[in-house]
């Protein structure tokens, strides 16, 4: 659930990268992304969805990357590696 995720993140748990689905009960991933980027604009937020049309919404909301489901672990690894490897 998006609200639970926000409460965890806002609690100062030292998260540097978030991977979230767009579709979640309560607060959706797009809203979570927006709140996250207001507070931590330089941290990484990756959104995923089974609907390609959500990619445009994710980009507009400030997502650093977007994955269309289904995706492979290699797809996820490449994106994460891009952001965390110096």
């Amino acid at each position: 659930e998006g609200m639970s995720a926000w409460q965890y993140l806002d609690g100062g748990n030292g998260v540097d990268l978030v991977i979230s689905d767009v579709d979640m009960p309560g607060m959706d991933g797009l809203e979570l992304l927006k709140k996250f980027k207001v507070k931590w604009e330089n941290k990484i937020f990756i959104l995923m969805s089974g609907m390609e049309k959500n990619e445009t919404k994710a980009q507009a909301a400030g997502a650093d990357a977007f994955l269309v489901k289904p995706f492979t672990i290699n797809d996820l690894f490449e994106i994460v590696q891009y952001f965390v490897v110096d």
Side-chain angles (χ1 to χ4, degrees), residues 17-59:
L17 184 144
V18 173
I19 302 169
S20 174
D21 201 318
V22 170
D23 296 316
M24 296 187 291
M27 180 189 303
D28 70 15
L30 293 166
E31 188 177 346
L32 178 62
L33 163 63
K34 290 174 187 174
K35 289 175 74 81
F36 181 84
K37 284 297 189 173
V38 165
K39 192 160 185 172
W40 302 285
E41 67 180 318
N42 294 322
K43 294 193 178 191
I44 307 305
F45 200 106
I46 301 168
L47 273 174
M48 63 180 153
S49 176
M51 297 186 293
E52 277 188 66
K53 67 178 185 176
N54 282 329
E55 184 169 8
T56 303
K57 294 176 186 176
Q59 290 172 340

Side-chain angles (χ1 to χ4, degrees), residues 55-79:
E55 184 169 8
T56 303
K57 294 176 186 176
Q59 290 172 340
D64 295 290
F66 183 82
L67 284 164
V68 177
K69 297 188 291 186
F71 55 86
T72 68
I73 193 69
N74 287 334
D75 296 331
L76 177 59
F77 179 75
E78 285 179 19
I79 289 173

